Amino acid sequence: MLLAHVTISLDGYMAGPGISNELPMGVNGSRLHEWILDPTPADRQFIADSFATVGAVVLGRRTFDVGLDQWNDTPYPAPSFVVTHRSHEPLHMTSASFTFVPDLAQAVTQARAAAGGKHVILMGADLTQQALDAGLIDEFRLQLAPIMLGSGTRLFTGTAQHTFEPLGAQQTPRVTHLRFRTTATTTPAPPHQHDTPRG
């Protein structure tokens, strides 16, 4: 199953503005992950279950670039596939390796094969939106943090219309865990072009 596992603010941002190597979550974006940095017992169990079920990761090049110094490893202890047009030899880390793949569909195919029946996790806003529009995502697991960032990187962009089925919710003092199955994706037709009246 291909999952988007994302923490977002109440106003829909998954990172603050000004993302850089020094601020991989942008300005004030680290507040989104307070539930990870100081978890309740329920959050701790959620984190443990997430790591136990991940078989592979697909991430964007920018996510890799700003995250590598923070992780000092693959983001999960599983084979990780970086979608990028810049060729790169596989990068071997402590837990697994990064493999660099030129397009999303190829990365997802390789990740599913490497996952061994476990979940494949998507990482990165642009990559997640591309996968959603392509109908590749099976399920969203959203962690809704009780903060507002005001600006930054939104999770959902674009004009395609998506339908989801709620699968469950769990509230803790620091975050609300939400699950949605993706059921349909449609692209709106372009506006009708009327002939210009002639005088």
Side-chain angles (χ1 to χ4, degrees):
M1 185 157 56
L2 185 64
L3 303 181
H5 230 314
V6 187
T7 300
I8 60 172
S9 63
L10 292 179
D11 49 351
Y13 294 98
M14 60 184 291
I19 292 174
S20 65
N21 288 352
E22 293 73 28
L23 293 172
M25 291 297 297
V27 177
N28 293 322
S30 60
R31 296 174 59 205
L32 290 167
H33 291 164
E34 289 177 356
W35 70 275
I36 298 174
L37 301 174
D38 185 20
T40 66
D43 294 326
R44 193 173 292 111
Q45 184 61 52
F46 181 89
I47 295 168
D49 290 345
S50 298
F51 271 79
T53 57
V54 173
V57 178
V58 176
L59 64 157
R61 180 64 193 237
R62 181 160 176 77
T63 301
F64 168 81
D65 286 341
V66 301
L68 185 60
D69 287 344
Q70 305 294 318
W71 307 319
N72 291 311
D73 200 351
T74 50
Y76 290 85
S80 299
F81 298 84
V82 182
V83 180
T84 177
H85 295 298
R86 287 179 276 168
S87 61
H88 197 297
E89 290 297 314
L91 182 60
H92 302 288
M93 307 300 290
T94 301
S95 298
S97 295
F98 289 103
T99 301
F100 300 82
V101 186
D103 67 78
L104 175 59
Q106 184 178 342
V108 169
T109 297
Q110 292 187 27
R112 289 188 192 276
K118 290 187 173 183
H119 297 155
V120 176
I121 299 294
L122 279 171
M123 296 182 66
D126 184 61
L127 200 70
T128 299
Q129 188 64 55
Q130 290 180 48
L132 178 62
D133 290 345
L136 296 174
I137 298 177
D138 297 300
E139 188 176 312
F140 273 88
R141 296 191 179 179
L142 301 180
Q143 287 65 248
L144 188 62
I147 64 169
M148 296 181 72
L149 292 177
S151 63
T153 301
R154 287 192 178 277
L155 173 59
F156 297 110
T157 58
T159 59
Q161 299 172 355
H162 308 283
T163 305
F164 304 92
E165 175 190 354
L167 297 178
Q170 179 185 14
Q171 184 175 345
T172 76
R174 295 191 179 279
V175 72
T176 301
H177 302 283
L178 303 169
R179 292 178 57 201
F180 298 92
R181 179 184 293 123
T182 307
T183 57
T185 298
T186 58
T187 302
H192 181 70
Q193 299 294 320
H194 296 284
D195 292 335
T196 302
R198 298 184 179 182

PDB file of all heavy atoms in Angstrom, residues 171-194:
ATOM      1  N   GLN A 171      -7.398  11.013  18.773  1.00  0.00           N
ATOM      2  CA  GLN A 171      -6.961  12.303  19.302  1.00  0.00           C
ATOM      3  C   GLN A 171      -6.063  12.112  20.516  1.00  0.00           C
ATOM      4  O   GLN A 171      -6.347  11.289  21.391  1.00  0.00           O
ATOM      5  CB  GLN A 171      -8.167  13.153  19.697  1.00  0.00           C
ATOM      6  CG  GLN A 171      -7.800  14.551  20.166  1.00  0.00           C
ATOM      7  CD  GLN A 171      -9.032  15.394  20.439  1.00  0.00           C
ATOM      8  OE1 GLN A 171     -10.130  15.042  20.020  1.00  0.00           O
ATOM      9  NE2 GLN A 171      -8.850  16.507  21.134  1.00  0.00           N
ATOM     10  N   THR A 172      -4.948  12.840  20.536  1.00  0.00           N
ATOM     11  CA  THR A 172      -4.073  12.879  21.694  1.00  0.00           C
ATOM     12  C   THR A 172      -3.919  14.350  22.079  1.00  0.00           C
ATOM     13  O   THR A 172      -4.344  15.239  21.336  1.00  0.00           O
ATOM     14  CB  THR A 172      -2.692  12.256  21.393  1.00  0.00           C
ATOM     15  OG1 THR A 172      -1.914  13.166  20.615  1.00  0.00           O
ATOM     16  CG2 THR A 172      -2.833  10.930  20.661  1.00  0.00           C
ATOM     17  N   PRO A 173      -3.314  14.651  23.229  1.00  0.00           N
ATOM     18  CA  PRO A 173      -3.183  16.057  23.616  1.00  0.00           C
ATOM     19  C   PRO A 173      -2.373  16.916  22.652  1.00  0.00           C
ATOM     20  O   PRO A 173      -2.517  18.136  22.642  1.00  0.00           O
ATOM     21  CB  PRO A 173      -2.478  15.963  24.979  1.00  0.00           C
ATOM     22  CG  PRO A 173      -2.882  14.631  25.523  1.00  0.00           C
ATOM     23  CD  PRO A 173      -2.925  13.740  24.325  1.00  0.00           C
ATOM     24  N   ARG A 174      -1.530  16.309  21.802  1.00  0.00           N
ATOM     25  CA  ARG A 174      -0.646  17.093  20.936  1.00  0.00           C
ATOM     26  C   ARG A 174      -1.014  17.053  19.460  1.00  0.00           C
ATOM     27  O   ARG A 174      -0.559  17.896  18.686  1.00  0.00           O
ATOM     28  CB  ARG A 174       0.800  16.621  21.109  1.00  0.00           C
ATOM     29  CG  ARG A 174       1.353  16.883  22.499  1.00  0.00           C
ATOM     30  CD  ARG A 174       2.841  16.641  22.542  1.00  0.00           C
ATOM     31  NE  ARG A 174       3.388  16.902  23.862  1.00  0.00           N
ATOM     32  CZ  ARG A 174       3.696  18.105  24.324  1.00  0.00           C
ATOM     33  NH1 ARG A 174       3.494  19.163  23.563  1.00  0.00           N
ATOM     34  NH2 ARG A 174       4.192  18.255  25.527  1.00  0.00           N
ATOM     35  N   VAL A 175      -1.835  16.084  19.051  1.00  0.00           N
ATOM     36  CA  VAL A 175      -2.118  15.924  17.624  1.00  0.00           C
ATOM     37  C   VAL A 175      -3.349  15.050  17.452  1.00  0.00           C
ATOM     38  O   VAL A 175      -3.724  14.293  18.368  1.00  0.00           O
ATOM     39  CB  VAL A 175      -0.891  15.276  16.916  1.00  0.00           C
ATOM     40  CG1 VAL A 175      -0.760  13.802  17.287  1.00  0.00           C
ATOM     41  CG2 VAL A 175      -0.915  15.470  15.419  1.00  0.00           C
ATOM     42  N   THR A 176      -3.989  15.157  16.287  1.00  0.00           N
ATOM     43  CA  THR A 176      -5.092  14.269  15.939  1.00  0.00           C
ATOM     44  C   THR A 176      -4.670  13.427  14.739  1.00  0.00           C
ATOM     45  O   THR A 176      -4.317  13.970  13.687  1.00  0.00           O
ATOM     46  CB  THR A 176      -6.369  15.058  15.598  1.00  0.00           C
ATOM     47  OG1 THR A 176      -6.741  15.857  16.725  1.00  0.00           O
ATOM     48  CG2 THR A 176      -7.515  14.109  15.265  1.00  0.00           C
ATOM     49  N   HIS A 177      -4.666  12.117  14.906  1.00  0.00           N
ATOM     50  CA  HIS A 177      -4.270  11.196  13.839  1.00  0.00           C
ATOM     51  C   HIS A 177      -5.505  10.852  13.007  1.00  0.00           C
ATOM     52  O   HIS A 177      -6.504  10.353  13.543  1.00  0.00           O
ATOM     53  CB  HIS A 177      -3.681   9.918  14.436  1.00  0.00           C
ATOM     54  CG  HIS A 177      -2.497  10.158  15.323  1.00  0.00           C
ATOM     55  ND1 HIS A 177      -1.239  10.428  14.822  1.00  0.00           N
ATOM     56  CD2 HIS A 177      -2.378  10.173  16.680  1.00  0.00           C
ATOM     57  CE1 HIS A 177      -0.385  10.592  15.827  1.00  0.00           C
ATOM     58  NE2 HIS A 177      -1.058  10.441  16.960  1.00  0.00           N
ATOM     59  N   LEU A 178      -5.431  11.108  11.706  1.00  0.00           N
ATOM     60  CA  LEU A 178      -6.558  10.887  10.807  1.00  0.00           C
ATOM     61  C   LEU A 178      -6.148   9.937   9.681  1.00  0.00           C
ATOM     62  O   LEU A 178      -5.021  10.011   9.181  1.00  0.00           O
ATOM     63  CB  LEU A 178      -7.026  12.212  10.188  1.00  0.00           C
ATOM     64  CG  LEU A 178      -7.440  13.309  11.172  1.00  0.00           C
ATOM     65  CD1 LEU A 178      -7.604  14.636  10.438  1.00  0.00           C
ATOM     66  CD2 LEU A 178      -8.739  12.932  11.873  1.00  0.00           C
ATOM     67  N   ARG A 179      -7.069   9.084   9.267  1.00  0.00           N
ATOM     68  CA  ARG A 179      -6.808   8.164   8.160  1.00  0.00           C
ATOM     69  C   ARG A 179      -7.910   8.311   7.111  1.00  0.00           C
ATOM     70  O   ARG A 179      -9.098   8.346   7.440  1.00  0.00           O
ATOM     71  CB  ARG A 179      -6.762   6.711   8.635  1.00  0.00           C
ATOM     72  CG  ARG A 179      -5.584   6.359   9.517  1.00  0.00           C
ATOM     73  CD  ARG A 179      -5.670   4.902   9.954  1.00  0.00           C
ATOM     74  NE  ARG A 179      -5.729   4.010   8.800  1.00  0.00           N
ATOM     75  CZ  ARG A 179      -6.203   2.755   8.851  1.00  0.00           C
ATOM     76  NH1 ARG A 179      -6.663   2.262  10.006  1.00  0.00           N
ATOM     77  NH2 ARG A 179      -6.215   1.997   7.767  1.00  0.00           N
ATOM     78  N   PHE A 180      -7.481   8.415   5.839  1.00  0.00           N
ATOM     79  CA  PHE A 180      -8.423   8.535   4.728  1.00  0.00           C
ATOM     80  C   PHE A 180      -7.964   7.651   3.577  1.00  0.00           C
ATOM     81  O   PHE A 180      -6.791   7.674   3.209  1.00  0.00           O
ATOM     82  CB  PHE A 180      -8.493   9.978   4.212  1.00  0.00           C
ATOM     83  CG  PHE A 180      -8.977  10.984   5.209  1.00  0.00           C
ATOM     84  CD1 PHE A 180      -8.071  11.672   6.006  1.00  0.00           C
ATOM     85  CD2 PHE A 180     -10.325  11.240   5.360  1.00  0.00           C
ATOM     86  CE1 PHE A 180      -8.505  12.605   6.935  1.00  0.00           C
ATOM     87  CE2 PHE A 180     -10.772  12.170   6.280  1.00  0.00           C
ATOM     88  CZ  PHE A 180      -9.863  12.852   7.067  1.00  0.00           C
ATOM     89  N   ARG A 181      -8.887   6.879   3.024  1.00  0.00           N
ATOM     90  CA  ARG A 181      -8.600   6.120   1.808  1.00  0.00           C
ATOM     91  C   ARG A 181      -8.951   6.985   0.602  1.00  0.00           C
ATOM     92  O   ARG A 181     -10.001   7.625   0.565  1.00  0.00           O
ATOM     93  CB  ARG A 181      -9.411   4.827   1.772  1.00  0.00           C
ATOM     94  CG  ARG A 181      -9.174   3.992   0.505  1.00  0.00           C
ATOM     95  CD  ARG A 181     -10.074   2.767   0.446  1.00  0.00           C
ATOM     96  NE  ARG A 181      -9.730   1.817   1.491  1.00  0.00           N
ATOM     97  CZ  ARG A 181     -10.588   1.359   2.416  1.00  0.00           C
ATOM     98  NH1 ARG A 181     -11.849   1.797   2.423  1.00  0.00           N
ATOM     99  NH2 ARG A 181     -10.195   0.496   3.327  1.00  0.00           N
ATOM    100  N   THR A 182      -8.063   7.000  -0.394  1.00  0.00           N
ATOM    101  CA  THR A 182      -8.344   7.733  -1.627  1.00  0.00           C
ATOM    102  C   THR A 182      -9.299   6.900  -2.475  1.00  0.00           C
ATOM    103  O   THR A 182      -9.030   5.741  -2.772  1.00  0.00           O
ATOM    104  CB  THR A 182      -7.051   7.987  -2.414  1.00  0.00           C
ATOM    105  OG1 THR A 182      -6.097   8.620  -1.562  1.00  0.00           O
ATOM    106  CG2 THR A 182      -7.309   8.873  -3.615  1.00  0.00           C
ATOM    107  N   THR A 183     -10.437   7.499  -2.855  1.00  0.00           N
ATOM    108  CA  THR A 183     -11.443   6.733  -3.599  1.00  0.00           C
ATOM    109  C   THR A 183     -11.606   7.188  -5.042  1.00  0.00           C
ATOM    110  O   THR A 183     -12.007   6.407  -5.887  1.00  0.00           O
ATOM    111  CB  THR A 183     -12.810   6.805  -2.899  1.00  0.00           C
ATOM    112  OG1 THR A 183     -13.200   8.181  -2.753  1.00  0.00           O
ATOM    113  CG2 THR A 183     -12.743   6.160  -1.518  1.00  0.00           C
ATOM    114  N   ALA A 184     -11.296   8.462  -5.346  1.00  0.00           N
ATOM    115  CA  ALA A 184     -11.466   8.939  -6.720  1.00  0.00           C
ATOM    116  C   ALA A 184     -10.652  10.206  -6.933  1.00  0.00           C
ATOM    117  O   ALA A 184     -10.466  10.999  -6.016  1.00  0.00           O
ATOM    118  CB  ALA A 184     -12.938   9.222  -7.024  1.00  0.00           C
ATOM    119  N   THR A 185     -10.182  10.371  -8.170  1.00  0.00           N
ATOM    120  CA  THR A 185      -9.473  11.569  -8.580  1.00  0.00           C
ATOM    121  C   THR A 185      -9.995  11.977  -9.944  1.00  0.00           C
ATOM    122  O   THR A 185     -10.028  11.164 -10.867  1.00  0.00           O
ATOM    123  CB  THR A 185      -7.956  11.329  -8.671  1.00  0.00           C
ATOM    124  OG1 THR A 185      -7.457  10.965  -7.385  1.00  0.00           O
ATOM    125  CG2 THR A 185      -7.235  12.578  -9.160  1.00  0.00           C
ATOM    126  N   THR A 186     -10.439  13.213 -10.078  1.00  0.00           N
ATOM    127  CA  THR A 186     -10.920  13.713 -11.364  1.00  0.00           C
ATOM    128  C   THR A 186     -10.273  15.053 -11.652  1.00  0.00           C
ATOM    129  O   THR A 186     -10.002  15.833 -10.741  1.00  0.00           O
ATOM    130  CB  THR A 186     -12.457  13.880 -11.371  1.00  0.00           C
ATOM    131  OG1 THR A 186     -12.838  14.783 -10.318  1.00  0.00           O
ATOM    132  CG2 THR A 186     -13.153  12.551 -11.166  1.00  0.00           C
ATOM    133  N   THR A 187     -10.024  15.306 -12.912  1.00  0.00           N
ATOM    134  CA  THR A 187      -9.454  16.582 -13.338  1.00  0.00           C
ATOM    135  C   THR A 187     -10.555  17.401 -13.985  1.00  0.00           C
ATOM    136  O   THR A 187     -11.183  16.943 -14.950  1.00  0.00           O
ATOM    137  CB  THR A 187      -8.315  16.364 -14.340  1.00  0.00           C
ATOM    138  OG1 THR A 187      -7.320  15.540 -13.727  1.00  0.00           O
ATOM    139  CG2 THR A 187      -7.698  17.695 -14.756  1.00  0.00           C
ATOM    140  N   PRO A 188     -10.838  18.614 -13.476  1.00  0.00           N
ATOM    141  CA  PRO A 188     -11.904  19.430 -14.063  1.00  0.00           C
ATOM    142  C   PRO A 188     -11.638  19.730 -15.526  1.00  0.00           C
ATOM    143  O   PRO A 188     -10.482  19.910 -15.937  1.00  0.00           O
ATOM    144  CB  PRO A 188     -11.864  20.711 -13.213  1.00  0.00           C
ATOM    145  CG  PRO A 188     -11.158  20.333 -11.957  1.00  0.00           C
ATOM    146  CD  PRO A 188     -10.185  19.262 -12.342  1.00  0.00           C
ATOM    147  N   ALA A 189     -12.694  19.761 -16.306  1.00  0.00           N
ATOM    148  CA  ALA A 189     -12.554  20.118 -17.712  1.00  0.00           C
ATOM    149  C   ALA A 189     -12.181  21.586 -17.828  1.00  0.00           C
ATOM    150  O   ALA A 189     -12.544  22.402 -16.972  1.00  0.00           O
ATOM    151  CB  ALA A 189     -13.868  19.849 -18.448  1.00  0.00           C
ATOM    152  N   PRO A 190     -11.429  21.956 -18.866  1.00  0.00           N
ATOM    153  CA  PRO A 190     -11.078  23.375 -19.032  1.00  0.00           C
ATOM    154  C   PRO A 190     -12.324  24.206 -19.286  1.00  0.00           C
ATOM    155  O   PRO A 190     -13.334  23.694 -19.787  1.00  0.00           O
ATOM    156  CB  PRO A 190     -10.144  23.360 -20.248  1.00  0.00           C
ATOM    157  CG  PRO A 190     -10.472  22.105 -20.975  1.00  0.00           C
ATOM    158  CD  PRO A 190     -10.880  21.118 -19.921  1.00  0.00           C
ATOM    159  N   PRO A 191     -12.297  25.486 -18.910  1.00  0.00           N
ATOM    160  CA  PRO A 191     -13.469  26.337 -19.138  1.00  0.00           C
ATOM    161  C   PRO A 191     -13.854  26.350 -20.607  1.00  0.00           C
ATOM    162  O   PRO A 191     -13.008  26.325 -21.493  1.00  0.00           O
ATOM    163  CB  PRO A 191     -12.981  27.734 -18.676  1.00  0.00           C
ATOM    164  CG  PRO A 191     -11.819  27.467 -17.787  1.00  0.00           C
ATOM    165  CD  PRO A 191     -11.184  26.208 -18.298  1.00  0.00           C
ATOM    166  N   HIS A 192     -15.159  26.420 -20.867  1.00  0.00           N
ATOM    167  CA  HIS A 192     -15.645  26.448 -22.242  1.00  0.00           C
ATOM    168  C   HIS A 192     -15.254  27.750 -22.896  1.00  0.00           C
ATOM    169  O   HIS A 192     -15.429  28.834 -22.340  1.00  0.00           O
ATOM    170  CB  HIS A 192     -17.173  26.284 -22.252  1.00  0.00           C
ATOM    171  CG  HIS A 192     -17.758  26.281 -23.643  1.00  0.00           C
ATOM    172  ND1 HIS A 192     -17.557  25.251 -24.517  1.00  0.00           N
ATOM    173  CD2 HIS A 192     -18.519  27.207 -24.289  1.00  0.00           C
ATOM    174  CE1 HIS A 192     -18.200  25.514 -25.651  1.00  0.00           C
ATOM    175  NE2 HIS A 192     -18.773  26.695 -25.540  1.00  0.00           N
ATOM    176  N   GLN A 193     -14.698  27.655 -24.074  1.00  0.00           N
ATOM    177  CA  GLN A 193     -14.281  28.848 -24.802  1.00  0.00           C
ATOM    178  C   GLN A 193     -15.402  29.299 -25.721  1.00  0.00           C
ATOM    179  O   GLN A 193     -15.775  28.612 -26.669  1.00  0.00           O
ATOM    180  CB  GLN A 193     -13.018  28.538 -25.622  1.00  0.00           C
ATOM    181  CG  GLN A 193     -11.811  28.101 -24.785  1.00  0.00           C
ATOM    182  CD  GLN A 193     -11.335  29.233 -23.902  1.00  0.00           C
ATOM    183  OE1 GLN A 193     -11.288  30.386 -24.287  1.00  0.00           O
ATOM    184  NE2 GLN A 193     -10.961  28.887 -22.664  1.00  0.00           N
ATOM    185  N   HIS A 194     -15.959  30.479 -25.438  1.00  0.00           N
ATOM    186  CA  HIS A 194     -17.021  31.022 -26.282  1.00  0.00           C
ATOM    187  C   HIS A 194     -16.413  31.782 -27.467  1.00  0.00           C
ATOM    188  O   HIS A 194     -15.351  32.412 -27.315  1.00  0.00           O
ATOM    189  CB  HIS A 194     -17.909  31.970 -25.481  1.00  0.00           C
ATOM    190  CG  HIS A 194     -18.649  31.298 -24.362  1.00  0.00           C
ATOM    191  ND1 HIS A 194     -19.761  30.508 -24.576  1.00  0.00           N
ATOM    192  CD2 HIS A 194     -18.405  31.254 -23.035  1.00  0.00           C
ATOM    193  CE1 HIS A 194     -20.193  30.038 -23.405  1.00  0.00           C
ATOM    194  NE2 HIS A 194     -19.376  30.476 -22.459  1.00  0.00           N
TER     195      HIS A 194
END
